[in-house]
Every structure is written in C-alpha cells, then in structure tokens.
Amino acid sequence: PGCRSVSRRNNPYPSLRPEGNRPMSLKIRLARGGAKKRPYYRIVVADSRSPRDGRFIEKIGSYNPMLPRDGERVKIDMEKAKAW
C-alpha cells in the first residue's frame, strides 16, 4: 500500500530504480546546443552512459559563452544542483 513499484519496462531511466538496490551513475555535464560557431550549453544531470547531447534527466542551468564576460554567462538553479 505504501510505495508503488515501477516495472523495468515502463521506467525510462533504468538506473534510477525506486528500490535503490543499485548505485546511480549520474553526472552533471554540459549538453551542447546552438548553431555552428554559435555554441550554447545546457547544464544537465544525465546518466553517465548517455551521449553528451543525448537523453538527460533534468536541466539545472545554462551557459552561453557568446555573452560578454561581465554579463550573465552562467545561470544555475543552485537548489536543483544541491539536490543532485
């Protein structure tokens, strides 16, 4: 009656099973977006086995290297980052 189990077939992230009997292999990394010669990065939490620009679990911020250094190049939701 308490916690409902998620079957393996329906769980989109098999490494995040609710049972907690397997360690999670997560990384906080940059996922590249934008056009050629105009990079834009999302700061994401992803499974370490996923490709760089592939599936991610949650977006926690962004990095825009095209902005001037005194501008807001990096935006991070610190509460989400600390939660991971």
Side-chain angles (χ1 to χ4, degrees):
C3 179
R4 205 174 82 177
S5 179
V6 177
S7 71
R8 256 185 210 203
R9 191 177 336 160
N10 296 333
N11 189 352
Y13 302 105
S15 65
L16 298 177
R17 294 200 318 240
E19 295 88 30
N21 58 1
R22 193 168 114 189
M24 294 187 292
S25 55
L26 301 177
K27 289 186 177 182
I28 295 178
R29 64 166 71 146
L30 296 174
R32 192 182 193 281
K36 181 178 173 183
K37 306 274 185 176
R38 306 271 309 164
Y40 181 83
Y41 298 93
R42 293 178 311 229
I43 302 170
V44 298
V45 176
D47 189 326
S48 64
R49 297 168 292 184
S50 297
R52 179 190 72 182
D53 300 331
R55 183 173 69 184
F56 61 91
I57 298 167
E58 185 176 11
K59 178 184 171 189
I60 61 172
S62 63
Y63 168 60
N64 188 352
M66 301 302 288
L67 292 176
R69 288 193 183 271
D70 56 347
E72 288 195 20
R73 295 173 101 175
V74 179
K75 296 178 187 173
I76 298 178
D77 186 344
M78 292 306 289
E79 289 182 15
K80 287 183 181 179
K82 287 178 183 177
W84 288 103

